[in-house]
Amino acid sequence: PNEPMLSPKGDDNTLFQLTEQFLNEDYMNNGIEINNRYGEMANKVIPLKELSQLPQFNLARRLPADAEFSTFLPAHQEMADEVIDELLSVPENQLQDFLSLCVYARVNLNPQLFNYCYSVALMHRKDTKNVPIQNFAETFPSKFMDSQVFAQARESAAVSAQGAPRVPIIIPRDYTATDLDVEHRLAYFREDIGVNLHHWHWHLVYPFSARQRQVVDKDRRGELFFYMHQQIIARYNGERLNNALARVKKFSNWDEPIPEGYFPKLDSLTTSRGWPPRQANMVWQNLNRPIDGLNITVADMQRWRRNVEEAIATGIAQRADGTTQALDIDTLGNIIESSILSPNPQLYGALHNNGHSFAAYMHDPTHRYLESFSVMADEATTMRDPFFYRWHAFVDDLFQRFKESTHVRSYTRSELENPGVQITSARVESSTGGQNTLNTFWTQSDVDLSRGLDFSNRGPVYARFTHLNHRPFQYVIDVNNTGNARRTTVRIFIAPKFDERNLPWALSDQRKMFIEMDKFVIPLNAGQNTIVRQSTQSSVTIPFEQTFRNLSQQGNDPRQTDLTSFNYCGCGWPQHMLVPKGTEAGTQYDLFVMLSNYDLDSVNNPDGSTLSCVEASSFCGLKDKLYPDRRSMGYPFDRPSSTAANIQDFILPNMFRQDITIRLQNVTEQNPKNPTN
Ligand code: CUO
């Protein structure tokens, strides 16, 4: 981890010239030799400006270089706060100082801690916010794929000459379990590299702690915490139905054994150890791990839960200073997560974050065995574990109880309708020619591991993984506008038509199953309009290249004209996971389209500095701007209806419901863009 730094990539091998100041004890005596050795390989050497004052990093230095790092652990969060504070406090536009400080931090701190703080700092400094953040799956590939890949990768790199053609290392589709474990049916969703990258990137964009309040205090971030995770649970539940499993059971009784085990088959390249597994039927234990700053009991969790439940029941949050405020969804998000914006961390605790910790340490709650946390405590790996969904189903249920309480009223007709606007038809047209059928299949794609491996100066090392995919399609919506020309927001959702017993849904349940597919604003002419929208334009997703590729490769993508916007742009649901798997026989879904009243949707965002990458604003918001929709997130399904018993009852003239089918073609194709093709 403390190797001198070669720049990220290949052709242009850049070496930062490390003077004595930057070298820690391990390298102090052979720093010159290191510079010479690596200098021979480098074709560009960058001298570093000496720092006039070295940062102390009193907290952060305590994390050994070979330890895992997790923002969920209070001790680690304080370390990160300290480092981020240092990185943000270098005055704007003093980039040489900032660079030197980064190099110093990189050499002297735990690499994962450094990477997190460096990424947050790049994103939040005005003078670096356009500096690209490396794709995390390429810098820390071991968090995303089967550990056996890396032994093969080493071998491949060792025997291949520079420039020799590379044969990709195949990651088998089923490597974490067999179908004897019913939960394994969902592995393609839980272990998808793009899904996990999205989740990691989302939390990087929305940190819950920092010494600088503005790093955390972004528009509606608590509500977005609720909504983005609610949509993950809705998508996961839909996938469970597609795999003949019931919706996930929320983890509500915390004394109960957890039947879902998980054996991740990941190795950490930082600790050189395997990630701890969890056996079936383990139980939450009180945590006392001084090394992680964790000393919490299940009883503490119960107490915080009661306080949160009381806030939900009364609609009132108690502030730390003894005053009160009316509870709203944004505050509730900050309370439950919790972020530093929580009005009362003492009273409400950090229910969600600590749930991750309890789940992550069942195998060694008191550090007796010197074991690190499981995948549950790392934002890049947590979605792999079936328990993630049981925990977040519990978290989502708290939010839903607030939405169902008397403190949130149902939408009135005037909040749902759009007078004069009538949808006469809505359909999906697949690129394969079918109408109202979406087609899914499997694809094998390549990702370059070389950047995350220490032997990497020999060109790319590709791993080939299999993921769900779908044929592109378009929505076609016919609209009759009897009023004047105006704008409207088009909101497109889908949900399974039947529940796990194959019965039609009550709207009170189905509303929680609707997944957002797209949301966009368009002008409507007076009279007849036909709206055509491509699946690849979705406001939920980012293109494959934006999820996976490094920046030089992104340059080949015509949609990615401005490479400098990657930092925010890495956040977004992966395009290849937009459409649920469906089944080979075909699964029936409801397509729901709504054209809402723009007067009630619009927000006043200052123009300028628009991103030129494809944005995924529905889940990730817009950088430095207001969330681009004034309605509550999830509208119109975020609240129960007071009048409609089912989706058909809910439909007003500005809405449309259409039966569609999602059919899985059980074939595996090669991604035509694989670099090894
Ligand atoms: Cu995203 Cu629990 O918040 O992992």
Side-chain angles (χ1 to χ4, degrees):
N2 284 337
E3 293 269 293
M5 286 165 294
L6 288 172
S7 85
K9 199 59 198 178
D11 316 333
D12 175 27
N13 266 329
T14 307
L15 176 75
F16 294 130
Q17 186 86 42
L18 302 177
T19 57
E20 216 167 73
Q21 177 180 66
F22 296 95
L23 295 166
N24 65 11
E25 290 155 13
D26 300 345
Y27 288 99
M28 193 60 88
N29 294 328
N30 48 10
I32 293 165
E33 188 202 328
I34 286 166
N35 276 326
N36 287 344
R37 178 151 59 94
Y38 284 83
E40 278 171 22
M41 288 152 63
N43 44 25
K44 190 166 160 195
V45 175
I46 298 184
L48 292 168
K49 182 177 171 187
E50 293 259 321
L51 290 164
S52 54
Q53 206 182 349
L54 292 178
Q56 295 298 309
F57 293 138
N58 287 329
L59 299 172
R61 269 183 203 279
R62 290 185 201 155
L63 191 65
D66 60 356
E68 285 292 328
F69 164 77
S70 167
T71 55
F72 287 126
L73 304 176
H76 292 193
Q77 189 61 58
E78 284 173 22
M79 295 173 186
D81 290 352
E82 178 187 67
V83 179
I84 292 166
D85 187 37
E86 285 281 355
L87 296 178
L88 292 183
S89 65
V90 177
E92 297 280 319
N93 298 318
Q94 302 212 1
L95 282 172
Q96 288 304 325
D97 295 85
F98 179 67
L99 175 64
S100 293
L101 182 60
C102 288
V103 170
Y104 182 83
R106 170 67 182 82
V107 172
N108 287 283
L109 299 179
N110 173 285
Q112 297 197 47
L113 167 68
F114 167 74
N115 185 277
Y116 174 74
C117 300
Y118 172 63
S119 304
V120 171
L122 285 185
M123 215 178 269
H124 291 87
R125 285 179 64 90
K126 281 208 184 69
D127 54 355
T128 59
K129 63 185 182 185
N130 293 328
V131 176
I133 290 173
Q134 292 293 316
N135 184 324
F136 201 54
E138 293 186 348
T139 45
F140 288 94
S142 59
K143 289 180 191 258
F144 296 88
M145 54 199 95
D146 184 359
S147 54
Q148 289 186 342
V149 167
F150 299 100
Q152 293 177 48
R154 269 183 206 102
E155 192 178 316
S156 160
V159 298
S160 305
Q162 180 121 29
R166 291 300 162 90
V167 180
I169 298 156
I170 309 287
I171 304 177
R173 213 173 100 187
D174 293 293
Y175 68 89
T176 50
T178 65
D179 284 334
L180 285 175
D181 173 28
V182 291
E183 295 294 329
H184 184 64
R185 294 178 201 170
L186 273 299
Y188 68 90
F189 182 95
R190 288 188 277 103
E191 293 167 3
D192 184 84
I193 299 176
V195 162
N196 281 284
L197 272 174
H198 160 70
H199 185 255
W200 170 78
H201 216 124
W202 189 94
H203 282 278
L204 195 63
V205 175
Y206 292 100
F208 57 79
S209 171
R211 289 183 189 171
Q212 294 76 3
R213 196 178 162 90
Q214 74 274 14
V215 171
V216 178
D217 196 358
K218 302 197 173 91
D219 184 45
R220 296 171 72 179
R221 58 97 54 216
E223 184 179 13
L224 196 51
F225 171 79
F226 146 68
Y227 181 58
M228 196 282 287
H229 290 89
Q230 186 275 331
Q231 284 287 294
I232 286 177
I233 294 300
R235 284 181 168 270
Y236 185 69
N237 277 335
E239 291 296 341
R240 292 182 69 86
L241 299 190
N242 283 327
N243 288 286
L245 293 172
R247 281 166 285 171
V248 64
K249 188 168 169 255
K250 69 178 178 189
F251 186 63
S252 189
N253 178 353
W254 297 341
D255 300 323
E256 205 170 75
I258 295 166
E260 295 87 359
Y262 187 64
F263 292 74
K265 319 264 188 305
L266 302 180
D267 277 352
S268 168
L269 295 186
T270 312
T271 62
S272 304
R273 294 222 169 98
W275 284 77
R278 183 183 60 254
Q279 316 273 345
N281 298 314
M282 292 184 74
V283 184
W284 271 14
Q285 311 279 337
N286 295 338
L287 300 181
N288 187 359
R289 296 182 52 113
I291 189 166
D292 300 321
L294 275 180
N295 187 4
I296 41 176
T297 62
V298 178
D300 291 331
M301 285 288 278
Q302 304 281 14
R303 176 166 47 83
W304 293 322
R305 173 182 178 169
R306 278 195 302 276
N307 293 338
V308 171
E309 285 173 340
E310 187 181 307
I312 292 168
T314 57
I316 292 169
Q318 314 273 345
R319 295 201 191 98
D321 65 7
T323 61
T324 60
Q325 67 180 88
L327 189 62
D328 56 59
I329 188 73
D330 192 46
T331 306
L332 187 58
N334 288 319
I335 285 176
I336 289 176
E337 186 181 3
S338 72
S339 82
I340 57 166
L341 306 181
S342 168
N344 198 337
Q346 277 299 96
L347 186 66
Y348 301 119
L351 212 47
H352 155 268
N353 287 348
N354 284 325
H356 277 269
S357 297
F358 274 96
Y361 281 130
M362 278 183 267
H363 58 284
D364 193 12
T366 57
H367 202 222
R368 178 180 303 178
Y369 303 107
L370 305 175
E371 282 289 304
S372 186
F373 48 80
S374 80
V375 294
M376 273 300 290
D378 187 322
E379 282 146 351
T381 57
T382 181
M383 285 185 70
R384 307 175 80 85
D385 189 330
F387 186 73
F388 171 90
Y389 304 88
R390 295 207 57 200
W391 180 239
H392 269 275
F394 166 78
V395 168
D396 189 56
D397 188 62
L398 289 176
F399 289 117
Q400 297 294 354
R401 274 156 61 186
F402 177 64
K403 291 279 186 179
E404 287 161 357
S405 76
T406 54
H407 313 295
V408 179
R409 44 169 195 76
S410 297
Y411 291 114
T412 60
R413 191 181 163 107
S414 67
E415 288 172 311
L416 294 170
E417 68 186 358
N418 194 354
V421 174
Q422 188 192 10
I423 304 180
T424 50
S425 82
R427 60 186 180 276
V428 288
E429 295 178 347
S430 173
S431 57
T432 56
Q435 262 209 14
N436 291 326
T437 297
L438 300 180
N439 301 289
T440 55
F441 61 102
W442 304 100
T443 297
Q444 287 192 321
S445 298
D446 295 349
V447 60
D448 179 10
L449 306 178
S450 58
R451 226 186 295 268
L453 305 172
D454 288 341
F455 51 76
S456 66
N457 192 29
R458 300 191 179 199
V461 178
Y462 291 106
R464 176 162 292 178
F465 63 103
T466 305
H467 57 85
L468 186 62
N469 206 349
H470 59 273
R471 309 290 172 199
F473 61 94
Q474 61 185 18
Y475 309 94
V476 181
I477 305 157
D478 293 313
V479 188
N480 184 19
N481 175 16
T482 59
N484 296 329
R486 68 181 95 173
R487 288 179 158 203
T488 184
T489 306
V490 182
R491 299 166 191 273
I492 304 176
F493 294 83
I494 61 171
K497 202 170 161 61
F498 301 104
D499 70 9
E500 48 270 85
R501 298 159 302 172
N502 221 18
L503 298 174
W505 295 98
L507 184 58
S508 53
D509 288 323
Q510 195 184 18
R511 74 173 186 83
K512 299 173 195 168
M513 297 295 290
F514 273 101
I515 58 172
E516 184 175 330
M517 297 294 278
D518 206 349
K519 178 168 69 176
F520 53 98
V521 175
I522 44 140
L524 278 183
N525 300 320
Q528 296 295 331
N529 296 260
T530 297
I531 302 165
V532 179
R533 174 86 168 178
Q534 305 302 319
S535 57
T536 48
Q537 293 175 290
S538 168
S539 63
V540 173
T541 60
I542 56 176
F544 187 86
E545 285 67 27
Q546 215 164 294
T547 297
F548 286 104
R549 296 290 180 235
N550 66 57
L551 290 160
S552 57
Q553 284 163 318
Q554 275 178 19
N556 299 328
D557 186 343
R559 290 166 299 189
Q560 188 76 32
T561 50
D562 177 2
L563 305 181
T564 58
S565 303
F566 180 71
N567 294 0
Y568 220 73
C569 303
C571 183
W573 193 251
Q575 177 69 26
H576 65 265
M577 295 296 281
L578 175 66
V579 179
K581 179 171 75 86
T583 53
E584 286 181 78
T587 306
Q588 283 186 276
Y589 272 72
D590 282 316
L591 167 71
F592 172 87
V593 178
M594 173 180 195
L595 268 58
S596 59
N597 181 350
Y598 187 69
D599 294 339
L600 304 178
D601 299 337
S602 63
V603 291
N604 241 337
N605 258 330
D607 282 344
S609 74
T610 49
L611 298 183
S612 50
C613 65
V614 177
E615 300 151 13
S617 62
S618 291
F619 285 2
C620 300
L622 295 175
K623 186 171 171 57
D624 303 327
K625 289 186 179 181
L626 301 177
Y627 190 79
D629 180 7
R630 203 193 320 161
R631 309 276 190 164
S632 295
M633 296 180 198
Y635 167 86
F637 294 120
D638 67 301
R639 303 177 189 179
S641 167
S642 56
T643 52
N646 57 52
I647 186 65
Q648 202 52 49
D649 289 352
F650 187 69
I651 301 294
L652 296 173
N654 60 319
M655 305 175 190
F656 202 88
R657 193 205 62 78
Q658 171 67 48
D659 283 335
I660 63 167
T661 302
I662 303 181
R663 182 164 286 128
L664 172 71
Q665 192 192 357
N666 212 350
V667 295
T668 306
E669 299 182 1
Q670 297 293 319
N671 187 333
K673 290 185 183 167
N674 281 345
T676 50
N677 285 350

